[in-house]
Amino acid sequence: VGEYVKRAQRAELDWAQAESMTEGELKARLFPPKLPGARRRPEPDWEEIAKELKQKGVTRMLLWQEYLEEHPDGYGYSQFCERFRRWSGEREAPVMRKPKKAGEEAEVDYAGLTMPIIDPHIGEITQAEIFVGVLGASGLIYAEAHRNQSLPNWIRAHVRMFEFFGGVPRIIRPDNLKAGVTKPSFYEPDLNPTYHELAVHYGTAVIPTRVAKPRDKGLGENAVQQVERWVLAPLRKQRFFSVDELNQAMRPHLTWLNDRQLTGQTQSRRELFEQIEKDALQLLPNYRFEYLEIKQAKVHIDYHVTFKKHNYSVPHPYTRKTVLIRASERLIEIYHQDKRIACHLRNDRPGYSTEKEHLPANHRWVQE
């Protein structure tokens, strides 16, 4: 109010004059345009600022400090950020908000933050990767630590995530990381064969995000931030000597995060899950998915195929043909054109596993 009174005095306006003016006329008198010679602070190159912000590790604070080094009389940090928001807001395309249906989708990703694990024998420090999954409608979050982002860890994390949710969503939306997607594509991405087997086993569809489009899984990006802030950051001063130890320490913080009341709402993620999403998920199958390794191989002239230095027999008519090996933790299954032609107990030691029925008649006669 005081500011308006001063402006009215500078414009030599009294109440009688102001009352007879339109709002536009009054505004023009109270806020006259600046004179051409009036001093203005140097304006940053916002196009360049936006480009720099896309680089990893570059923040607005850093760019503002660099701007001040070049223009000591420039804007303060709050004005710098406000002007950038105005500039980017005028140029950004509108963002479509996609409604999330209960039980429809879960978004999965790895956190950018890792946690150090100390080898108790040699003192070597390795960084544990943090897997994060979140349900679309309720926002219920699952997180666990791995040694690395290998395919076995990726697959087994999904199995444990489904068991944590107590059901299976209809869609899994991952990033285009190598463990899940062998060939990214806008229309038809190629999934890792083992990841595809997991999806078939649980009756769900894997639909990866578009390349370099983080907004396709904005909920997952937010869940990663929540895990980094409320699960990992409180553990930053503790020392861990195994991944299991880290996972045990993470669990109470994850429980607190899911039970915490959401900002601007009266319910927690857990309460929303119980009310709207728990019963909407597909039922878990009768048995959990076993990790599979899948590879193509050519049958040798001795009607065996090799997997992990061990040789397994197939019926002799398939000699020199290309087959598909599905290796679980217990079994080696061999397929030709979607037909299973052999099955063996898995053996990871060098040697041979040969079924007598696979031998030609003359070879069987010689062996006997």
Side-chain angles (χ1 to χ4, degrees):
V1 173
E3 175 66 22
Y4 274 76
V5 170
K6 289 177 186 175
R7 285 179 176 272
Q9 289 170 349
R10 285 199 294 268
E12 298 179 350
L13 278 174
D14 57 24
W15 179 249
Q17 292 171 306
E19 205 171 17
S20 63
M21 290 181 177
T22 64
E23 189 167 344
E25 291 171 340
L26 182 59
K27 187 175 180 180
R29 290 287 296 273
L30 292 177
F31 300 91
K34 293 184 178 180
L35 298 173
R39 176 184 172 277
R40 291 190 62 190
R41 297 186 182 188
E43 199 75 10
D45 183 348
W46 299 121
E47 294 275 0
E48 187 64 25
I49 296 291
K51 194 187 299 181
E52 290 288 333
L53 276 173
K54 292 178 182 177
Q55 296 188 37
K56 194 171 182 179
V58 177
T59 62
R60 292 185 186 184
M61 176 64 76
L62 175 65
L63 294 174
W64 172 69
Q65 290 171 351
E66 292 175 352
Y67 159 74
L68 275 191
E69 286 175 8
E70 193 175 341
H71 305 287
D73 58 340
Y75 296 112
Y77 181 65
S78 58
Q79 270 298 306
F80 179 87
C81 293
E82 177 60 30
R83 286 174 176 271
F84 178 71
R85 274 193 290 271
R86 284 189 218 152
W87 176 88
S88 58
E90 291 169 1
R91 286 159 176 75
E92 279 186 0
V95 176
M96 182 177 74
R97 185 171 294 280
K98 294 186 289 185
K100 303 289 186 183
K101 295 180 181 177
E104 183 179 56
E105 185 176 325
E107 298 178 6
V108 291
D109 200 0
Y110 277 106
L113 190 64
T114 57
M115 293 292 286
I117 303 291
I118 304 167
D119 188 313
H121 303 295
I122 60 175
E124 182 185 1
I125 298 176
T126 56
Q127 296 297 322
E129 302 284 347
I130 310 299
F131 172 89
V132 179
V134 57
L135 285 172
S138 63
L140 189 72
I141 296 172
Y142 173 75
E144 69 168 58
H146 299 154
R147 278 282 179 193
N148 49 49
Q149 294 186 19
S150 65
L151 180 61
N153 286 333
W154 173 253
I155 295 297
R156 288 165 184 151
H158 279 71
V159 173
R160 289 187 284 266
M161 177 182 74
F162 295 148
E163 292 172 355
F164 176 81
F165 292 152
V168 184
R170 287 159 184 78
I171 296 171
I172 302 296
R173 197 175 297 280
D175 213 337
N176 286 276
L177 77 170
K178 289 182 181 179
V181 182
T182 53
K183 183 182 177 184
S185 167
F186 185 82
Y187 299 102
E188 192 82 19
D190 288 340
L191 297 182
N192 181 288
T194 307
Y195 199 23
H196 174 72
E197 291 274 348
L198 172 91
V200 171
H201 181 83
Y202 284 101
T204 187
V206 176
I207 305 178
T209 60
R210 295 171 294 170
V211 176
K213 296 289 183 181
R215 282 181 179 169
D216 282 4
K217 55 175 185 59
L219 191 68
E221 299 288 337
N222 177 261
V224 165
Q225 284 186 350
Q226 296 297 321
V227 169
E228 289 178 345
R229 290 174 185 171
W230 303 111
V231 178
L232 303 182
L235 303 174
R236 67 190 184 280
K237 294 181 181 178
Q238 295 185 35
R239 295 196 298 172
F240 299 100
F241 298 94
S242 71
V243 172
D244 288 340
E245 194 179 324
L246 172 58
N247 278 319
Q248 287 176 15
M250 287 170 58
R251 283 184 197 119
H253 293 280
L254 183 63
T255 301
W256 177 88
L257 176 61
N258 283 320
D259 293 342
R260 172 183 175 233
Q261 184 177 316
L262 290 164
T263 306
Q265 297 190 36
T266 58
Q267 295 172 304
S268 67
R269 290 179 173 84
R270 179 81 60 188
E271 289 169 334
L272 282 172
F273 171 75
E274 295 287 342
Q275 286 178 15
I276 66 173
E277 196 147 33
K278 184 177 180 179
D279 295 334
L281 293 170
Q282 300 178 102
L283 295 175
L284 288 167
N286 292 330
Y287 57 95
R288 63 175 6 200
F289 178 77
E290 283 192 13
Y291 172 71
L292 289 171
E293 292 181 71
I294 300 174
K295 63 169 283 190
Q296 283 190 334
K298 194 168 184 179
V299 181
H300 307 321
I301 57 173
D302 63 352
Y303 40 87
H304 285 73
V305 291
T306 304
F307 182 80
K308 297 271 177 89
K309 297 183 179 181
H310 194 89
N311 299 279
Y312 302 91
S313 66
V314 301
H316 67 89
Y318 295 98
T319 299
R320 294 187 180 279
K321 292 188 177 177
T322 301
V323 295
L324 190 75
I325 300 174
R326 296 172 79 250
S328 68
E329 293 178 5
R330 297 180 297 108
L331 294 177
I332 298 290
E333 297 175 288
I334 303 165
Y335 287 78
H336 180 259
Q337 296 180 352
D338 295 332
K339 178 187 175 184
R340 192 172 80 167
I341 60 173
C343 181
H344 298 267
L345 287 173
R346 182 165 178 169
N347 189 337
D348 288 338
R349 290 178 294 180
Y352 284 80
S353 294
T354 307
E355 294 286 338
K356 191 178 292 186
E357 295 77 18
H358 296 164
L359 278 64
N362 57 335
H363 290 198
R364 202 180 311 158
W365 181 84
V366 169
Q367 195 177 71
E368 291 174 352

